[in-house]
Amino acid sequence: MTAFSARLRELVERGRGVVALTGAGMSAESGVPTFRGQSGFWEDGSVEDLATAAGFARDPRRVWDWYEARRIQISRCAPNAGHLALARYGEMHPEMRLVTQNVDGLHAAAGSGRVIALHGDLFRVRCTRDGLSREDRRVPLPEIPPRCGCGALLRPDVVWFGELLPEGAMEEATEAARRCELFLSIGTSAVVYPAAALPEVAKRRGAYLVEINIEETPLSPVADEVILAPAAEALPDLLGA
Ligand code: BJW
């Protein structure tokens, strides 16, 4: 059983203005690899090739091979106890705002209704000609790299480095961070901006800032409470859900 302060328990029970920001560590126990760190996707330094528009322009097939492998892997993963606890807590406290950097869809699969997705969706594709996106959950895709009906290349509908976040998503998340009483930063290395600015915004506005992670991050020194535990273990204990 994870230990929490009385202040944190009180804020969770009250449930007014809670924001949860999740990152790749949230889905680690579902079997989804993280990006950074040991056995992360980018331990080989391939980020520039795989998660930038320039990398895609250079070699769309290589980028799509990587995304296709992730789509296949994630389509076999299920939400873990942490996703489920957040979904149940959100049902009990509809004011809660769930903001995710993850593109795996596991919060929605757990039953979380309104998720602010900052970095897109792995199971959507976008036409590189007209920019229109649509859901495509087919696994495997019939051709790699996939093409739109108009003949242009399709790309994953995710946010790569140097790209803007989906319209309105960051504004909505920032507004929620400004107004919240309790901000939970869960399973994120807290180094990718602008998402990494959200806990800072909440803290500046007086929110109680809590980090849940298996190791310390650059956010740890400014957090009011750091819970060093896996999200799938800490969240059911904390949220009582
Ligand atoms: C566990 C666990 C368990 C493990 N339980 N925990 C300001 C300052 C500096 C730089 C910038 C800035 N503003 C913008 C930038 C540039 C850039 C950036 O931030 N770079 C930094 C890395 C230096 N940001 C951008 O480019 C963003 N766009 C932007 O700002 O647009 C405006 C603009 C445009 C043009 C010019 C200038 C500005 C876009 C960022 C897009 C990020 N995209 C990715 C890929 C998404 C698609 C895909 O999935 O393929 O998003 S990168 C990758 O990182 C992915 C993630 O969502 C994101 C964050 O990673 P996350 O979730 O934190 O995962 P990890 O792996 O890093 O960490 C996992 C954590 O879990 C670890 O801490 C573990 O310990 C922990 N953990 N098991 C709990 N069981």
Side-chain angles (χ1 to χ4, degrees):
M1 194 79 174
T2 327
F4 312 108
S5 70
R7 173 103 177 103
L8 176 54
R9 287 206 175 278
E10 185 194 314
L11 287 168
V12 166
E13 266 164 43
R14 191 152 66 190
R16 282 195 227 121
V18 178
V19 171
L21 168 69
T22 64
M26 178 78 228
S27 299
E29 271 135 325
S30 293
V32 182
T34 59
F35 293 91
R36 298 165 186 84
Q38 272 185 3
S39 75
F41 281 129
W42 294 340
E43 64 197 280
D44 61 353
S46 54
V47 51
E48 285 295 320
D49 292 329
L50 298 174
T52 63
F56 184 69
R58 267 196 306 275
D59 194 345
R61 188 182 180 99
R62 175 165 181 221
V63 172
W64 262 115
D65 280 343
W66 185 60
Y67 276 94
E68 178 72 333
R70 286 173 65 200
R71 285 166 60 102
I72 291 169
Q73 180 176 32
I74 289 170
S75 68
R76 297 179 184 137
C77 294
N80 63 51
H83 294 107
L84 295 171
L86 280 170
R88 282 193 220 107
Y89 186 80
E91 269 169 31
M92 290 186 291
H93 302 279
E95 271 181 53
M96 185 190 87
R97 286 288 163 271
L98 178 54
V99 185
T100 190
Q101 299 168 83
N102 298 344
V103 297
D104 56 29
L106 291 178
H107 284 303
S112 283
R114 267 190 69 237
V115 183
I116 304 174
L118 297 179
H119 292 164
D121 184 336
L122 198 56
F123 295 98
R124 294 183 70 86
V125 291
R126 194 194 316 157
C127 175
T128 54
R129 185 171 291 156
D130 63 18
L132 293 179
S133 83
R134 61 167 191 273
E135 189 177 59
D136 192 335
R137 308 196 72 84
R138 287 175 299 171
V139 171
L141 285 164
E143 58 169 341
I144 295 291
R147 291 198 171 266
C148 183
C150 75
L153 268 179
L154 289 166
R155 58 163 281 180
D157 193 19
V158 299
V159 182
W160 286 326
F161 284 110
E163 294 186 327
L164 295 177
L165 273 56
E167 208 180 327
M170 194 57 201
E171 290 74 9
E172 195 182 353
T174 305
E175 190 49 32
R178 277 202 190 109
R179 284 188 283 104
C180 72
E181 272 192 347
L182 172 62
F183 190 103
L184 304 172
S185 177
I186 306 164
T188 173
S189 55
V191 294
V192 175
Y193 281 82
L198 292 170
E200 299 165 9
V201 167
K203 174 83 181 170
R204 263 201 313 274
R205 288 293 188 119
Y208 193 71
L209 176 57
V210 175
E211 177 174 61
I212 300 176
N213 201 306
I214 52 169
E215 58 187 34
E216 298 215 336
T217 74
L219 186 65
S220 309
V222 293
D224 294 296
E225 200 161 330
V226 178
I227 296 160
L228 288 175
E233 195 181 298
L235 286 170
D237 287 353
L238 176 65
L239 304 178

